[in-house]
């Protein structure tokens, strides 16, 4: 079963599964082995140059343009009953074999790629040290807002200009750590989540989750005390209007 649309957390869970999951091989009555991994339901992710990217379902695309061709998809997980357990460069969960990959003009290929006419944002990069290394967003963010966790798109409230300025400056500087590590350190990343959206100067957007118990973000990084207080303070403003 292919997912037409996924929540951020479902995508992150799928990436965890792809990175560290294992198939279970069962013996049938004839003594033959076949693999089983439950329902074949995948989020739309791909791997290129050692980086795992996830599809950005909600961003407007009109302000983005294709750059240089970098490669193509050579393996589709959903096409195989017993797919390989560890993704390799050129693998995708749902994209067709032969789908061409392009740079996104204005962004590093390590941060964003076009796959055909679909936008993919980096989720996991072993070489990244900061969120800017992962996402290439420093100097590119125009605005920050809260959005509805029910649909991931409905705008609730923009940050005040002063608060947005602080977030825009400090968020890209946060220390990146793989989500597997964040998940492990926070014992499952439990707790309430706020949904945020950052809007770029080119009109594209990116969704973020903020965990109130940790406190931390996904894309994965711990919040500084300043940013944690800022998000909570801005959240309260939604209910004072």
């Amino acid at each position: 079963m292919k997912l037409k649309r996924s929540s951020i957390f479902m995508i992150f869970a799928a990436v965890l599964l792809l990175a560290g999951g294992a198939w279970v091989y069962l013996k049938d009555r004839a003594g033959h082995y076949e693999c089983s991994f439950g329902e074949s339901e995948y989020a739309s992710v791909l791997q290129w140059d050692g980086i795992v990217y996830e599809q950005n379902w909600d961003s407007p695309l009109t302000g983005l343009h294709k750059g240089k061709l970098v490669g193509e998809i050579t393996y589709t997980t959903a096409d195989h009953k017993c797919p390989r357990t560890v993704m390799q460069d050129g693998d995708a969960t749902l994209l067709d074999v032969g789908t061409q990959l392009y740079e996104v003009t204005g962004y590093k290929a390590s941060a964003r790629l076009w796959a055909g006419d679909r936008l993919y944002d980096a989720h996991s990069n072993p070489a990244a040290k900061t969120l800017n290394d992962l996402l290439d967003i420093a100097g590119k963010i125009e605005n920050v807002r809260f959005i509805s966790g029910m649909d991931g798109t409905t705008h609730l409230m923009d940050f005040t200009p002063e608060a947005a300025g602080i977030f825009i400056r400090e968020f890209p500087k946060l220390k990146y750590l793989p989500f597997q590590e964040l998940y492990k350190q926070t014992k499952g990343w439990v707790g309430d989540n706020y949904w945020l959206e950052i809007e770029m100067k080119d009109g594209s957007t990116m969704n973020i989750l903020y965990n109130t118990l940790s406190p931390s973000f996904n894309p994965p990084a711990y919040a500084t005390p300043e940013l944690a207080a800022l998000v909570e303070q801005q959240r309260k403003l939604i209910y004072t209007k």
Side-chain angles (χ1 to χ4, degrees):
M1 177 181 175
K2 294 185 179 182
L3 288 176
K4 184 176 180 181
R5 178 182 172 81
S6 298
S7 71
I8 295 177
F9 189 77
M10 286 175 67
I11 290 175
F12 294 153
V15 172
L16 275 173
L17 207 58
L18 287 165
W23 293 90
V24 176
Y25 287 85
L26 305 175
K27 183 184 289 188
D28 62 19
R29 292 181 179 179
H32 301 120
Y33 285 88
E34 60 180 33
C35 59
S36 176
F37 206 25
E39 288 292 323
S40 297
E41 188 170 284
Y42 300 105
S44 187
V45 300
L46 66 88
Q47 180 172 313
W48 188 256
D49 199 21
I51 300 166
V52 175
Y53 301 77
E54 58 183 321
Q55 184 171 352
N56 186 329
W57 295 89
D58 301 312
S59 174
L61 304 179
T62 54
L64 299 177
H65 305 282
K66 290 181 181 178
K68 183 176 68 175
L69 176 68
V70 298
E72 66 178 38
I73 297 302
T74 56
Y75 182 92
T76 304
T77 301
D79 289 345
H80 298 267
K81 182 180 179 181
C82 298
R84 51 191 176 217
T85 60
V86 179
M87 292 189 79
Q88 301 176 16
D89 289 351
D91 287 7
T93 51
L94 301 178
L95 292 168
D96 292 333
V97 170
T99 300
Q100 294 185 316
L101 306 177
Y102 299 86
E103 294 180 348
V104 178
T105 302
Y107 294 86
K108 295 177 181 178
S110 61
R112 276 186 158 179
L113 287 176
W114 286 104
D117 294 322
R118 302 179 182 183
L119 178 65
Y120 281 74
D121 294 328
H123 165 76
S124 175
N125 182 350
K129 302 299 182 185
T130 67
L131 287 188
N132 191 58
D133 292 339
L134 179 71
L135 304 171
D136 191 22
I137 53 175
K140 298 181 173 73
I141 306 175
E142 179 71 24
N143 204 0
V144 186
R145 62 180 59 93
F146 289 99
I147 56 175
S148 170
M150 299 297 294
D151 57 21
T153 57
T154 300
H155 293 183
L156 299 180
M157 190 197 77
D158 288 3
F159 278 32
T160 64
E162 180 181 5
I166 296 171
F167 190 96
I168 289 168
R169 182 183 71 243
E170 298 301 324
F171 183 72
K173 299 177 185 178
L174 295 179
K175 182 180 178 181
Y176 162 78
L177 76 164
F179 185 68
Q180 294 95 320
E181 288 300 314
L182 178 63
Y183 190 86
K184 183 189 302 182
Q185 292 175 16
T186 58
K187 294 180 171 55
W189 215 57
V190 296
D192 293 332
N193 296 319
Y194 299 159
W195 287 60
L196 305 173
E197 178 185 81
I198 56 175
E199 180 182 354
M200 311 302 177
K201 294 176 181 178
D202 55 30
S204 65
T205 60
M206 187 179 299
N207 289 355
I208 300 170
L209 281 182
Y210 173 77
N211 184 275
T212 61
L213 186 61
S214 298
S216 52
F217 295 99
N218 211 337
Y222 284 107
T224 61
E226 179 185 29
L227 276 185
L230 181 79
V231 171
E232 292 292 348
Q233 184 266 340
Q234 291 295 296
R235 178 73 175 178
K236 291 176 182 178
L237 294 180
I238 296 176
Y239 305 104
T240 60
K241 291 188 175 182

